[in-house]
Amino acid sequence: MSERDPIIAQEVIDRAFRKKGPKQYTLWVDLEYCIGCHACTMGCKAENNTPVGVDYNRVIEVEEGLFDNPKQRPELQVYFVAMPCMHCGKPACMAACPVGAITKRQEDGIVLINKDRCIGCRYCAWACPYGVPTFNAEAKVMEKCTLCVHRVTKGLLPACVETCVAKTRFFGEMNDLVNLIREQRSKRVFLGGASSTVPSVVYTK
Amino acid sequence: MTKEASHSSVRPQVAGSLCSRFRTTKSDCALCEEVCPKQAVRLSNEGPVISEQCVGCGACYAICPTAAFDLPARADLAIIEEMRDSDDPRPEQPYAISCRRADTTAELVLPCLGRLTEALLVEPMGLGASAVEIRRPACEKCSLTKAVTSLDLVLQRARGLYEMVGLAGGQLRERRVALRAAKQSAPPDVSRRGFVGALGKGALGLASLAIPTPEAKQAQPPADFRKILAERPENRKRSALLESLKGFSPARTMAVPAQNALLADIVVSRKCSACGTCVLLCPTMAISLIEREESFCLTFRPAQCVNCRVCRQVCNQEALDFKAEATLNSLLGDREKTLLQAPQKTCPVCRGRYLGGDDMEFCPLCLDRVRKQQSMLAKLG
């Protein structure tokens, strides 16, 4: 497979940054081209300086099919699913937090944990259907993907998008990305079916 | 004789960090807001705020289970001290309690009967009075009528305490008295000199606000939320109740329905995930945690429990529950009981603590995460 051209124009990104008023920044992960190199995980760790055991972004390897008859061709396939925070429309973590430490920002839809307020009870991890929040055993607080809010507010792309080797992760405003996917006739897939938490991260396969 | 003091204009002090609403966003307690006759109490997530409309009736102090309000001039402990130091209550005589718009010759005159607490009803009996008589005017005609909505509850709770220590419930009685007209305070005389002087002072105040002070320039460091939660001053209202009950011995085991009771009885099941949230958020330190390397032990002091239900509202695992009945006898003597004792381990994946024996290699949360992700990805497509 030759290296493909970026399928998302700079214009889409610029439009997302320029957009005024309430919006939902999010990621688009194209599972078809993901090679499972974990560069996004490492880029994220380097950018956010997370300790051992705390990952804002994980890549899960999924094996499908069976290889039970050695005389036949194995019917197997492997694909990789990158799991950042879904920055849900109705975050289950926010509803579960007993001290109101989790907020969803109106201006860009990013779900953030206020580490000054977090008491480390881990209720958000129990509540999250994607198992995203992780416990920082040193600081005794919960941490999760912030969509690189410190970069995004400066007009930079999230670290995972910038490091992605296979050019399979894109950043943008949710409606723009969904429209783009529709134009390109990519097949949108949903994790665990449609979730009640209204996840914003878009997957295609 | 304990008479109406000049404290009634003093506003209660607020310790916002003790308010259930500050401690958890799950709490829907709004007792103080409901009982305030002047809508002077406004609740926020940072606790209650008292505005200028406050008339100092003390109803919020009386109703708040977690003692987020304090009356600096005349709290329960101060009144108990007054009772002990004075000749009242006289032995074998009834002890009268009234408000300043009813019988001001009563032994104890409160700004409003909504200020009554159980401690003030128990203490006279401990000092040998034959009965406690509430001289109650036609409260529904008073402008503070909302403040007495909780009075019946306080009387009912106090009767429960009476029965527990072997007094007859009838020894706490009510007597209707006439409601006196409210004192009209005359508008203050304003002289021209006084007016200009006051105006000048106000202007000075405004001007000084506009000048930045060196302290205002420095950004306030964010107060450590967890530290504020962990710092819990003694619940002085509960201390007063325990103080008033000191001389008594239990006559019978008194179990009351847990709803609206003075205290609760808590049970914790093995569903507990050892998160310690109930311990941290309890406003009275009734639940505490003895944590050692290998074991986890939750203990409970029923005498400190104020039935605020914060612990149950926050428990994510629904491991903590309230018994249907609470035993008032726990208020006599501050005993500690063990709620849960279990071996504790550290998860090799997330390095969080969890309860489990040798059969559990990982914490239930990490296992739950794997299970969730597997079922989620199985349906991908």
Side-chain angles (χ1 to χ4, degrees), chain B residues 102-319:
Chain B
D103 187 357
T104 48
T105 61
E107 276 88 357
L108 176 63
V109 179
L110 296 168
C112 171
L113 286 178
R115 159 72 182 82
L116 261 184
T117 51
E118 297 80 9
L120 301 184
L121 295 168
V122 171
E123 178 64 21
M125 300 307 288
L127 292 173
S130 63
V132 172
E133 187 178 271
I134 313 293
R135 293 192 181 153
R136 190 173 180 178
C139 289
E140 59 279 2
K141 288 182 193 153
C142 176
S143 64
L144 302 182
T145 179
K146 253 178 93 185
V148 291
T149 41
S150 60
L151 179 59
D152 289 329
L153 177 65
V154 171
L155 295 181
Q156 183 201 328
R157 284 171 172 173
R159 286 199 179 100
L161 293 173
Y162 275 38
E163 280 183 42
M164 176 190 65
V165 296
L167 300 164
Q171 281 173 289
L172 175 60
R173 56 180 183 240
E174 283 182 75
R175 207 181 88 195
R176 288 280 167 179
V177 292
L179 179 73
R180 295 190 305 144
K183 257 185 254 163
Q184 289 291 327
S185 55
D189 266 343
V190 180
S191 65
R192 201 162 72 168
R193 183 180 292 252
F195 174 75
V196 175
L199 191 71
K201 260 187 207 157
L204 255 182
L206 273 179
S208 65
L209 276 182
I211 300 165
T213 51
E215 295 94 74
K217 267 185 194 163
Q218 288 166 359
Q220 290 254 321
D224 191 344
F225 181 64
R226 284 200 269 191
K227 215 183 235 170
I228 298 173
L229 287 179
E231 274 172 13
R232 281 158 286 195
E234 166 201 7
N235 184 338
R236 287 158 58 85
K237 223 178 99 186
R238 178 49 57 94
S239 307
L241 181 64
L242 296 181
E243 185 65 35
S244 73
L245 281 166
K246 238 173 204 170
F248 292 102
S249 53
R252 50 174 288 216
T253 309
M254 187 69 197
V256 291
Q259 191 72 32
N260 290 330
L262 272 170
L263 74 163
D265 227 346
I266 295 176
V267 276
V268 175
S269 72
R270 280 302 297 265
K271 282 196 278 181
C272 174
S273 67
C275 66
T277 309
C278 51
V279 178
L280 185 64
L281 296 186
C282 174
T284 61
M285 291 208 268
I287 311 176
S288 37
L289 175 60
I290 304 163
E291 205 171 4
R292 293 193 198 90
E293 198 52 47
E294 297 284 297
S295 84
F296 176 86
C297 180
L298 272 184
T299 59
F300 178 53
R301 285 160 68 201
Q304 291 300 320
C305 175
V306 292
N307 201 7
C308 66
R309 310 210 157 212
V310 164
C311 48
R312 198 174 74 171
Q313 281 156 349
V314 297
C315 185
N316 194 42
Q317 305 300 319
E318 292 173 359

Side-chain angles (χ1 to χ4, degrees), chain A residues 95 98 123 128 131 138 140 192, chain B residues 24 26 226 314 369 372 376:
Chain A
Y123 290 180
C128 177
E138 272 114 55
K140 302 256 183 288
Chain B
T24 171
K26 303 262 179 215
R226 284 200 269 191
V314 297
R369 186 196 303 270
K372 272 192 287 200
M376 187 175 60

